Amino acid sequence: MRRPRLRRPRSLAGQLFAMQIVLVTVVVAGCAAFAYVADRGQAEEAARREVTTAAVAVAASSSVRDAVRSPDPAAGLQPYAERVRRDTGVDFVTIMNPDGIRWTHPDPARIGERYLGHTGPALRGETFSETYTGTLGPSVRVVVPVMDGGRSVALVSAGITVDAISAEIRRQLLGLLLVALGALGLGGAGTYLLNARLRRHTHGMNATELSRMHDYHEATLHAVREGLLMLDGQHRIALINDGGRELLGLTEEVMGRRIDALGLPPTLTDALLAAEPRVDEVHATADRIVVLNTSPVSGGERHGTVVTLRDHTELQALSGELDSVRGFAEALRSQAHEAANRLHAVVSLIELGRADEAVEFVTAELELAQALTDEVVGAVAEPVLAALLLGKAAQANERGVELVLAPDTHVDDGLLPPRLPARDLVTILGNLVDNAVDAAAEEANRSAAEIRHAQVTVTLRTDDAPGGRGELLLRVTDTGAGVAPEAMEEVFRRGWSTKSPGSAPHGRGLGLALVRQAVRRNGGTVSVTGSQGGGAEFTVRLPLHATHPAHSADPPPTPAVRTGAPS
């Protein structure tokens, strides 16, 4: 047994079409009925004026008064009345004596009979009209007195039958119906075209489906953690979800505003305004690293752009930590290789019978390694920073760069507040040291003929800030080429790098952008100046007490003298 097919609810366009057809039909029918009633009343009024004119003219005729005084009024009045009836188009002209006895009638057999209708007002000298059923059927008639010497000597009645009036109305109604059908056809065609377009826009869905889709749409927008942004053809925000607001740092109402009026970073704004699609582009906002994808919406013409945003802040931070771990592994591998070489040297000295020289060689190596460890641990008691500096020192040494601590470096263990994440400290100090080592090594390679000493100096200490609040000072100075004055404002922008002028390779140009984000998250400031040795000097100040994160731009750095820049 086959199951009965469930009828799908009519689409919204179909429902509107049926409703509009009914509405147009009712309006046209109402107009037709109103026109019919109005035309009927106008037709009756026109007939009344026509018969009144005819009756008054007959009653005022002198020949009628003369015929009334003759011995046989009917003989003279009947031909006259018929001629008037034919000429005026009325259905009857009846002339009678004051007692209502007919002298004329369209049917000669009715002459001499009593007139069917009222005559009282006419006998009093008044002209009146009425609708009455006589020998010819219902008719609109007028009765007019024939006055002679101040008295009524005869009566004249002229009329048009209701059937004749109805026939005229039917002729008019036929034209009215044709007009109404034409209006209905045009209205139906216009309604069909309008609803066909609506059907295309609603994809044939009914009102319930559209409402459900809207509910799903709203729920999806709020549930998706990734950012979703829709721009119209004028690059105004047509839709943005909660994730998009959070990733772009938008707190105020932005619906309907142009994307270039939101104060976003220039590179991100340019990507959002671009006509061509963008795929997995990495951009830095004030607080986050986002991956951008755009897809134009077009249908013969540009309608807008759909933008998706993914948060890669944590991923970039983890990537930085992974790079540090890789660096540590490379340093350990290199140190293991060097340790093996030294061990072979010690073994060879012992085999040659030079034990004293072997002991001296080993003691010198141990003292050198222990001196660096003692220096770092003695100055920086904070374990995370001490471990980071020891690892970076080994990495720098592999590249021929000496990493040293400034004499005034001193950070006690437990001094840093719990709200200052160790990950942020690693991000800030690790990226600054990496960039400084790169710059110092590159400048040393360019100046190899001069045998220039490559060095990176790190300063870590706590200072008193205005208002009695303590702050952590991190300063990294290198012997690189410095920062050009025109690059001061761009140095912390994502993608800025000396390794690829104008744009950084994939994965580069993010270090200083991450530094600025981490500093801002913790309410600090970062600036760059020139160092006394000719390189760059980056200074970070982080408050040690609770404060609100800084959302404003960092203080403008003073000019320096580097022609390149860290990656």
Side-chain angles (χ1 to χ4, degrees), residues 139-401:
S139 61
V140 176
R141 58 182 65 182
V142 173
V143 181
V144 180
V146 178
M147 306 301 293
D148 187 11
R151 64 187 183 90
S152 177
V153 296
L155 304 175
V156 178
S157 177
I160 297 177
T161 63
V162 173
D163 289 341
I165 296 174
S166 298
E168 179 64 22
I169 293 176
R170 283 194 294 272
R171 286 193 297 272
Q172 296 178 1
L173 184 60
L174 179 60
L176 177 63
L177 289 176
L178 292 177
V179 173
L181 290 176
L184 183 61
L186 289 176
T191 300
Y192 175 79
L193 293 176
L194 180 63
N195 284 274
R197 183 174 182 180
L198 179 61
R199 188 178 294 107
R200 288 196 303 270
H201 288 309
T202 59
H203 301 285
M205 290 186 291
N206 58 44
T208 302
E209 292 171 330
L210 288 173
S211 176
R212 185 165 56 247
M213 177 171 287
H214 177 268
D215 294 339
Y216 289 158
H217 169 269
E218 289 295 319
T220 301
L221 286 179
H222 291 287
V224 173
R225 293 186 60 188
E226 286 73 15
L228 178 62
L229 185 66
M230 295 186 184
L231 308 178
D232 62 15
Q234 285 72 45
H235 299 106
R236 295 173 300 195
I237 295 181
L239 183 146
I240 184 170
N241 70 344
D242 298 340
R245 291 178 183 274
E246 181 179 356
L247 292 178
L248 294 179
L250 304 176
T251 56
E252 57 185 9
E253 180 57 42
V254 295
M255 296 295 293
R257 295 180 58 184
R258 283 184 57 87
I259 198 67
D260 53 4
L262 301 180
L264 299 176
T267 55
L268 179 57
T269 301
D270 293 341
L272 293 173
L273 294 176
E276 68 279 0
R278 300 295 180 94
V279 179
D280 290 340
E281 286 193 359
V282 180
H283 292 272
T285 65
D287 301 313
R288 296 178 183 273
I289 302 295
V290 297
V291 176
L292 170 77
N293 284 274
T294 66
S295 176
V297 179
S298 60
E301 61 179 7
R302 181 181 175 88
H303 294 304
T305 306
V306 176
V307 181
T308 59
L309 301 166
R310 301 195 307 274
D311 189 1
H312 270 219
T313 306
E314 294 296 325
L315 181 59
Q316 290 294 341
L318 291 174
S319 297
E321 294 182 12
L322 180 59
D323 289 340
S324 297
V325 172
R326 287 199 186 104
F328 295 156
E330 290 295 329
L332 290 174
R333 187 180 298 112
S334 177
Q335 288 180 1
H337 181 73
E338 288 298 318
N341 291 335
R342 296 185 182 102
L343 182 60
H344 288 158
V346 171
V347 171
S348 298
L349 287 173
I350 294 174
E351 289 177 347
L352 293 173
R354 300 191 177 192
D356 294 338
E357 294 180 12
V359 172
E360 183 181 352
F361 178 78
V362 172
T363 303
E365 289 295 325
L366 289 175
E367 288 178 353
L368 180 62
Q370 189 62 39
L372 176 61
T373 302
D374 291 342
E375 180 185 4
V376 172
V377 174
V380 182
E382 180 64 34
V384 173
L385 295 179
L388 177 65
L389 288 173
L390 287 173
K392 293 300 180 183
Q395 288 180 272
N397 183 60
E398 291 302 318
R399 300 188 59 182
V401 178

Side-chain angles (χ1 to χ4, degrees), residues 473-498:
L473 172 69
L474 294 84
R475 178 175 292 128
V476 178
T477 305
D478 61 65
T479 57
V483 178
E486 62 272 12
M488 289 295 181
E489 298 296 333
E490 299 293 321
V491 68
F492 294 103
R493 178 176 58 83
R494 181 261 166 190
W496 191 88
S497 173
T498 57

Side-chain angles (χ1 to χ4, degrees), residues 25-91:
T25 302
V26 170
V27 170
V28 171
C31 291
F34 176 78
Y36 172 78
V37 173
D39 286 350
R40 185 176 184 86
Q42 292 175 356
E44 290 182 355
E45 184 62 27
R48 187 172 288 106
R49 287 196 301 270
E50 185 177 354
V51 297
T52 300
T53 300
V56 170
V58 170
S61 174
S62 58
S63 59
V64 171
R65 287 193 293 272
D66 293 341
V68 168
R69 289 193 290 267
S70 67
D72 187 7
L77 293 176
Q78 175 66 11
Y80 174 76
E82 286 301 298
R83 187 168 63 252
V84 171
R85 182 180 67 81
R86 289 191 297 270
D87 293 343
T88 59
V90 299
D91 289 326

